[in-house]
Amino acid sequence: MADILHKVGIRSASIDQVYKALTTQDGLAGWWTSNTKGEGDKVGNIIQFRFGAGGFDMRVTELNAPTLVKWELAEGPEEWMPTTIQFELKEDGEYVIVLFKHLNWKEPVEFMHHCSTKWAIFLMSLKSFIETGKGNPDPYDVKIDNWN
Amino acid sequence: MADILHKVGIRSASIDQVYKALTTQDGLAGWWTSNTKGEGDKVGNIIQFRFGAGGFDMRVTELNAPTLVKWELAEGPEEWMPTTIQFELKEDGEYVIVLFKHLNWKEPVEFMHHCSTKWAIFLMSLKSFIETGKGNPDPYDVKIDNWN
């Protein structure tokens, strides 16, 4: 099993604001993909994330406001099955720290390398969304390679 | 053991140009840290990378121009011992693809989350350095969190 790990620190924000950006349709659409359908504020809910080339359905499996959000992949590309995603939030001085984990990839395939870099780009979009009011969700995301 | 994986695709470049940016002092100083000392074009060479807060000495352990560069940590922070770093290069259409691996972390500590995101930022700096002639090496790098 292989994991993707990341960390960003968000300034000028309360931990509640960051939690909201991870658990509401408007929040998620502000930094990951503009084409987000569903609310992530209840365990069991499904959130649909769509991108140009396809997408993911995530089932909310655990919430502990405002410090923890966990999803499992309900539907998505073969390589993402049966991965889980979690966001751990904590305050540290003037920062809200987000520890991100995309866990349990079966194999460290090239697509995992791509997704790892892409997650960093999207987490920087989350940081920008909260700090400045403007994120870079798909289709306005920064392109990294031949897979976009 | 835990690994950091990333992928970027570089346009308007030859694979030799990218290999050079990974094996020369001027190249490495153009995207990772301005304070780089040493050439990475011979197995056994030590390259010194210095940042505001400290740095790393890397020993070149394997080279296969222009497709493979491998380093091992000769000196650096406890959490980075005894990790290794490798860059695999290949051409794909108009792109030079870089598959990056920072392998064999003993533990998935918070510092590993930080370094994973930071590597994505520096690899985007490598992409920019080659595509536009201007990278964002330390101390001009994009800041991601309370550890910079």
Side-chain angles (χ1 to χ4, degrees):
Chain A
M1 292 293 187
D3 304 325
I4 295 170
L5 307 176
H6 285 299
K7 174 184 172 182
V8 292
I10 301 174
R11 278 200 280 202
S12 321
S14 70
I15 194 168
D16 291 316
Q17 266 179 287
V18 181
Y19 183 79
K20 203 174 154 194
L22 299 172
T23 52
T24 64
Q25 177 171 298
D26 286 351
L28 292 160
W31 67 270
W32 196 20
T33 175
S34 306
N35 191 347
T36 295
K37 291 209 173 71
E39 298 291 341
D41 59 345
K42 284 192 190 67
V43 170
N45 278 13
I46 300 271
I47 320 171
Q48 297 182 307
F49 300 99
R50 293 293 176 271
F51 300 78
F56 319 105
D57 289 0
M58 297 286 177
R59 183 179 295 108
V60 180
T61 55
E62 194 175 339
L63 293 170
N64 190 359
T67 59
L68 182 68
V69 174
K70 278 196 196 184
W71 301 333
E72 68 179 15
L73 195 69
E75 191 79 49
E78 170 62 21
E79 298 93 332
W80 277 45
M81 303 296 279
T83 59
T84 63
I85 287 174
Q86 65 190 66
F87 303 86
E88 298 164 19
L89 278 56
K90 62 179 178 179
E91 291 169 318
D92 188 344
E94 58 177 334
Y95 288 88
V96 177
I97 302 298
V98 180
L99 295 182
F100 169 88
K101 301 172 205 284
H102 186 174
L103 302 170
N104 298 326
W105 287 70
K106 283 189 298 280
E107 299 289 338
V109 291
E110 183 168 336
F111 188 49
M112 184 180 165
H113 295 65
H114 168 86
C115 291
S116 174
T117 311
K118 204 73 205 190
W119 271 124
I121 296 290
F122 282 120
L123 291 164
M124 292 301 285
S125 167
L126 168 65
K127 175 175 165 70
S128 169
F129 176 60
I130 306 268
E131 290 179 353
T132 73
K134 197 183 166 319
N136 297 291
D138 179 274
Y140 314 106
D141 52 318
V142 176
K143 310 306 182 193
I144 62 163
D145 63 22
N146 54 332
W147 296 345
N148 280 316
Chain B
M1 291 292 188
D3 304 325
I4 294 171
L5 308 176
H6 285 298
K7 174 183 173 182
V8 292
I10 302 174
R11 278 201 280 203
S12 320
S14 69
I15 193 168
D16 291 316
Q17 267 179 288
V18 181
Y19 182 79
K20 203 174 152 192
L22 299 172
T23 52
T24 64
Q25 177 171 298
D26 286 351
L28 292 159
W31 66 270
W32 195 21
T33 175
S34 306
N35 192 347
T36 295
K37 290 210 174 70
E39 298 292 341
D41 60 345
K42 284 192 191 67
V43 170
N45 278 13
I46 300 271
I47 320 171
Q48 297 182 307
F49 300 99
R50 293 294 176 272
F51 300 78
F56 319 105
D57 288 0
M58 297 287 178
R59 183 179 295 110
V60 180
T61 56
E62 195 175 337
L63 293 170
N64 190 0
T67 59
L68 182 68
V69 174
K70 279 197 195 182
W71 301 334
E72 68 178 15
L73 196 68
E75 191 79 50
E78 170 62 21
E79 299 93 332
W80 277 45
M81 302 296 280
T83 59
T84 64
I85 288 174
Q86 66 191 66
F87 302 86
E88 298 164 19
L89 278 57
K90 62 179 178 179
E91 291 170 318
D92 188 344
E94 58 176 335
Y95 288 87
V96 177
I97 302 298
V98 179
L99 295 182
F100 169 88
K101 302 172 205 284
H102 186 174
L103 303 171
N104 299 326
W105 288 70
K106 285 189 298 281
E107 298 290 338
V109 291
E110 183 168 336
F111 189 49
M112 185 180 164
H113 295 65
H114 167 86
C115 292
S116 174
T117 311
K118 204 72 205 192
W119 272 124
I121 296 290
F122 282 120
L123 290 164
M124 291 301 284
S125 166
L126 168 65
K127 175 175 166 68
S128 169
F129 176 60
I130 306 268
E131 290 179 351
T132 72
K134 197 183 167 320
N136 297 293
D138 179 274
Y140 314 106
D141 53 318
V142 176
K143 310 307 180 193
I144 62 164
D145 63 23
N146 54 333
W147 295 345
N148 279 317

